[in-house]
Amino acid sequence: MGEVKVIGTWSSPFVKRVEMALKIKGVEYEYIEESIRNKSALLLQHNPIHKKVPILLHNGKPILESMVILEYIDEVWEGPPILPRDPYERAMARFWHKFINDECADKMWNACWSTGEEREKLKQEAMKALEILENEIKGNKFFGGDKIGVVDHTANSIAYWIPIAANFVGLELMNDEKFPNLCRWADDYNNDTFVKENLPNKDDCIALMKKM
Amino acid sequence: MGEVKVIGTWSSPFVKRVEMALKIKGVEYEYIEESIRNKSALLLQHNPIHKKVPILLHNGKPILESMVILEYIDEVWEGPPILPRDPYERAMARFWHKFINDECADKMWNACWSTGEEREKLKQEAMKALEILENEIKGNKFFGGDKIGVVDHTANSIAYWIPIAANFVGLELMNDEKFPNLCRWADDYNNDTFVKENLPNKDDCIALMKKM
C-alpha cells in the first residue's frame, strides 16, 4: 500500500487520533517528530496553508486535517472500520465530531489560555455545549456505543489534554458534579488499554505547558 | 428509497447545496419552507441543538449540517457522484470545503454584518484566505476541475450570496483587480444553467436583507 509517513508532535491530540487510526488498521508508518517552534521545511512544503500537524504522507502526497485524514485512512486501508459502516450512523459520527470540536474542545482549550471576559465568555459557551454532550453520553459507555469509536477519538482532547491544561491554569471546566457522565466517559476512555498506550505522559504535558 | 423531506428556507446557500445534490442524484423530495423568525415545532424537534436549516429527513430520521448531508446523500443514493470517487481527491474536497467555510465564507459573511475594528479584522483575515483560494482556482475552470464539483457548491455563498450582501452594506471584499480568477469562477458558477435555476432571486435577497 505504499509509503506512509506521519508528521506530528508527541503532545498533539490531533496527531494521536491519526496514529491510533493507522494502528487500528494495522498500517505500518514512519513517524516524523516536528518542532512546533522551529517548523521544518518538510512541514512547510506539505502544509503551507495552515503550517500545522498532523500531516499524513501517502506515497508522497499530503493529507491534512485530522478528521479528513481519518476518513482517508478508513477508505484506503482494509481492516477494522474507523467510522461506522451504516450511512446514518456515519452521518451522526460526522455531526458529533464537528459539534465536539467546534462547540466544546476549541472553546475549552482557548478558555484555558485566555483571561478575563474572553475566558468567561468561552467558558460559558463551552459549558452549554457540554450539557448537550453530557445528555448524549448518558446511558452509553462510549460515543461509539459499547466500544470506543471515532467520536471518542475525536473527543480525546476533552478526555485527556484539556483537563490537564485546565488544572494547570486553575480553571474549572468539567467537574464530576455537573458532568458525571462525561467524567465517567473520560475515565473509561483514558484507561482503555489501547488508548492508554497512545497517550502522552501527563508530566511531560505539564512540563511543556510550563515552557509555553 | 423511502420518504425524503428537506426543511429549509428559500434564501439559504446551505439549503440550496442540499437541494442541488438531491436533484443531481434524481431523488424526489418534499420541500418544507421554514420561518427563520418563528421556528416551527418540526425544526425544533429535529434540530434541537443548532435550531438551524437545512435538515434532511430520510424516513423520519434527521441528518444535519450541509456537508454531512451531502456525504449522506452521496452514500445512500445511486447516480452521479457528489464527492469525487478517488479517496485522495475526496480528501482534498473535504479539506477545501472546510477551508472555504471556516476561513473565507464565515468571515466574509460576518464582516458584512459587523462594524468598526471587528469588521476590519474579519475582512483582513478573509482577504488572506481568499488569496490562497485565488491561487488554487488559477488555471482551473472550477474547484471540481472542468466541471462543477462539490467544492464549488460548498463555496456557493462566496459566488452569489456574499457579493450581494457586501454590495448591500457597502463593503468591498472580492474585486476583479485583486481576485480576477475567483471573480471569473463566481461568474461561471452563477451562470451555469443548473446552478442558475437553483439560486434565489437577487432582488428577493436584497429585500430580505433590508428587513433584517
Side-chain angles (χ1 to χ4, degrees):
Chain A
M1 291 304 296
E3 189 189 61
V4 182
K5 295 179 183 181
V6 173
I7 306 177
T9 53
W10 63 267
S11 60
S12 161
F14 305 96
V15 173
K16 292 299 174 191
R17 291 170 200 174
V18 168
E19 290 196 79
M20 283 196 264
L22 288 169
K23 287 175 186 175
I24 289 168
K25 289 283 187 187
V27 177
E28 295 207 4
Y29 63 95
E30 181 190 339
Y31 176 76
I32 302 166
E33 178 70 19
E34 181 62 38
S35 162
I36 297 275
R37 288 178 180 250
N38 190 8
K39 290 174 180 176
S40 71
L42 190 72
L43 175 111
L44 299 174
Q45 176 197 345
H46 290 301
N47 192 355
I49 295 179
H50 295 305
K51 304 176 181 70
K52 281 191 318 190
V53 293
I55 300 171
L56 179 75
L57 284 177
H58 187 202
N59 295 325
K61 288 202 268 187
I63 300 104
L64 309 172
E65 297 280 354
S66 70
M67 186 61 169
V68 175
I69 298 174
L70 296 192
E71 298 245 22
Y72 180 82
I73 291 170
D74 207 21
E75 291 166 3
V76 167
W77 286 284
E78 305 281 331
I82 304 297
L83 279 89
R85 280 290 159 261
D86 174 75
Y88 186 75
E89 283 178 34
R90 192 151 62 244
M92 293 306 288
R94 287 177 179 134
F95 172 83
W96 284 112
H97 157 74
K98 188 169 158 51
F99 179 81
I100 289 169
N101 275 271
D102 295 357
E103 305 299 328
C104 306
D106 281 2
K107 288 175 181 172
M108 291 166 83
W109 184 255
N110 291 332
C112 290
W113 309 111
S114 58
T115 53
E117 264 183 49
E118 176 67 7
R119 172 181 276 188
E120 197 48 36
K121 183 175 171 282
L122 287 164
K123 182 181 164 175
Q124 291 313 321
E125 287 173 7
M127 291 296 107
K128 270 195 188 173
L130 284 176
E131 279 172 32
I132 292 166
L133 217 55
E134 170 72 10
N135 203 42
E136 179 63 19
I137 195 71
K138 211 180 193 167
N140 287 308
K141 190 160 167 67
F142 296 108
F143 289 103
D146 291 340
K147 284 185 193 173
I148 288 175
V150 70
V151 177
D152 299 284
H153 290 309
T154 71
N156 63 355
S157 64
I158 294 178
Y160 191 73
W161 282 260
I162 292 170
I164 295 173
N167 189 53
F168 176 73
V169 300
L171 178 66
E172 192 173 68
L173 284 173
M174 202 168 87
N175 69 43
D176 243 353
E177 244 171 82
K178 201 158 182 204
F179 303 107
N181 293 291
L182 275 174
C183 289
R184 191 265 314 142
W185 159 81
D187 262 357
D188 285 348
Y189 180 80
N190 294 338
N191 286 302
D192 174 83
T193 313
F194 171 68
V195 170
K196 215 170 178 174
E197 281 168 13
N198 286 285
L199 293 177
N201 179 283
K202 191 177 166 180
D203 292 338
D204 292 344
C205 291
I206 295 170
L208 182 68
M209 287 170 194
K210 278 186 187 159
K211 267 201 243 172
M212 274 173 15
Chain B
M1 290 303 295
E3 189 189 61
V4 182
K5 296 179 182 180
V6 173
I7 307 176
T9 53
W10 63 268
S11 60
S12 161
F14 305 96
V15 173
K16 293 298 174 190
R17 290 171 201 173
V18 167
E19 291 196 78
M20 284 196 262
L22 288 169
K23 287 174 186 174
I24 290 168
K25 289 284 188 187
V27 177
E28 294 204 5
Y29 63 95
E30 180 190 340
Y31 176 76
I32 302 166
E33 179 70 19
E34 181 62 38
S35 162
I36 296 275
R37 288 176 180 251
N38 190 9
K39 291 176 179 175
S40 72
L42 189 73
L43 176 110
L44 298 175
Q45 175 196 345
H46 289 301
N47 193 355
I49 294 179
H50 295 305
K51 304 176 180 68
K52 282 191 317 189
V53 293
I55 300 172
L56 180 75
L57 283 178
H58 187 202
N59 295 324
K61 287 202 267 188
I63 299 105
L64 310 171
E65 298 280 354
S66 71
M67 187 60 171
V68 175
I69 298 174
L70 296 192
E71 299 245 21
Y72 180 82
I73 291 170
D74 207 20
E75 291 167 4
V76 166
W77 286 286
E78 303 283 330
I82 305 297
L83 279 89
R85 280 289 160 263
D86 174 75
Y88 186 75
E89 283 178 33
R90 191 150 64 243
M92 292 307 288
R94 288 177 179 136
F95 172 83
W96 284 112
H97 157 75
K98 188 168 159 52
F99 179 81
I100 289 169
N101 275 271
D102 295 357
E103 306 299 328
C104 304
D106 281 1
K107 288 176 180 170
M108 291 166 83
W109 184 254
N110 292 331
C112 289
W113 309 111
S114 59
T115 52
E117 262 183 51
E118 177 68 5
R119 172 180 276 188
E120 198 47 36
K121 182 175 171 281
L122 287 164
K123 182 181 164 174
Q124 290 314 321
E125 286 174 6
M127 291 295 108
K128 269 195 189 173
L130 284 176
E131 280 172 32
I132 291 166
L133 218 54
E134 169 73 9
N135 202 42
E136 180 63 18
I137 195 70
K138 209 180 195 167
N140 287 308
K141 189 162 170 62
F142 296 109
F143 289 104
D146 291 342
K147 285 185 191 171
I148 287 175
V150 70
V151 177
D152 299 285
H153 290 309
T154 70
N156 64 354
S157 64
I158 294 179
Y160 190 73
W161 283 259
I162 293 170
I164 294 174
N167 189 52
F168 176 73
V169 300
L171 178 66
E172 191 172 70
L173 283 171
M174 203 167 84
N175 69 43
D176 243 353
E177 243 171 85
K178 203 160 178 199
F179 302 108
N181 293 290
L182 275 174
C183 289
R184 193 265 315 142
W185 160 81
D187 263 356
D188 287 346
Y189 180 80
N190 294 337
N191 287 301
D192 173 84
T193 314
F194 171 70
V195 170
K196 215 171 176 173
E197 281 169 11
N198 286 285
L199 293 178
N201 179 281
K202 192 177 163 177
D203 292 339
D204 293 344
C205 291
I206 294 170
L208 182 69
M209 286 170 193
K210 277 184 186 158
K211 267 201 245 171
M212 273 172 15

